[in-house]
Amino acid sequence: MAAIEASGLTKRYGTVDALKGIQLTVERGEFFGLFGPNGAGKTTMLRILTGQLRPTEGTARVLDLDVVREPLRVKSLIGIVPEVESPPSYLTAYEYLYFVGQVRKVEGLEGRIARWFEFFDLDEARSSLCKDLSKGTRQKLMLAAAFLHEPSLVFLDEPFINLDPIYQRKLREFLQEYIEAGGTVFMASHLLDIAEKLCDRVAVIQDGAIVATGSVDEIRGPESNLETAFLRIVGA
Ligand code: ATP
């Protein structure tokens, strides 16, 4: 059984066709990357697959659950790092992870929070309100929250964007270990050099349609790197 299966996914916002009949399968244990120009439909796709948005037409199954019929069950099983959201401003860093852990009924919560505080060196932020944290620290907290319940599938929208090179590398290594341990990652990103190092398979979306899909080698084709191939594919 695939981790993600989308069939004929369409999303219309008024007169805007954000997704036009997307077919997509992501196998369990894959690191899958979704790339595309601004406004191509990546966030819309992610929001549908994570049960936050209903498609206009089509179906999507995530971990063998229908995302439209069972969005809560889907959300309980997956981890999400959305593109723009931040942890709530009125909680401290510790309170936020504690809150997420309670909602997700995480066992051994204190130990897991301690591990993530150590992994991202968050001790100084422990008692600070989230609104006073730097963008990078907020991003680290969102990542910790997404992995706190040890989900088997995570959806990451630009997970590297606010991290410095030290933590980009740490996150990269963590995600590689996560995949080796059997996890599945669906990542939307514009950072093709990082994606090239991590992804098993990628898809390029443009104007709401998938215009290329395959292994990183297949998509790279004769080009020297994924970025050049991407520019060719989208005709830039
Ligand atoms: P970016 O790389 O800039 O984040 P994206 O690939 O994530 O872009 P989406 O945010 O999914 O693209 O947007 C796809 C299209 O749908 C765009 O034309 C966008 O303007 C439109 N769109 C997205 N959300 C809405 C909305 N709530 N109402 C109306 N149009 C929307």
Side-chain angles (χ1 to χ4, degrees), residues 13 16 18 37-44 83 190:
Y13 297 109
V16 177
N38 291 130
K42 301 178 296 295
T43 300
T44 301
E83 186 186 14
H190 292 301

Side-chain angles (χ1 to χ4, degrees), residues 151-162:
S152 65
L153 168 63
V154 288
F155 290 84
L156 309 176
D157 203 348
E158 291 295 5
F160 292 95
I161 207 86
N162 292 308

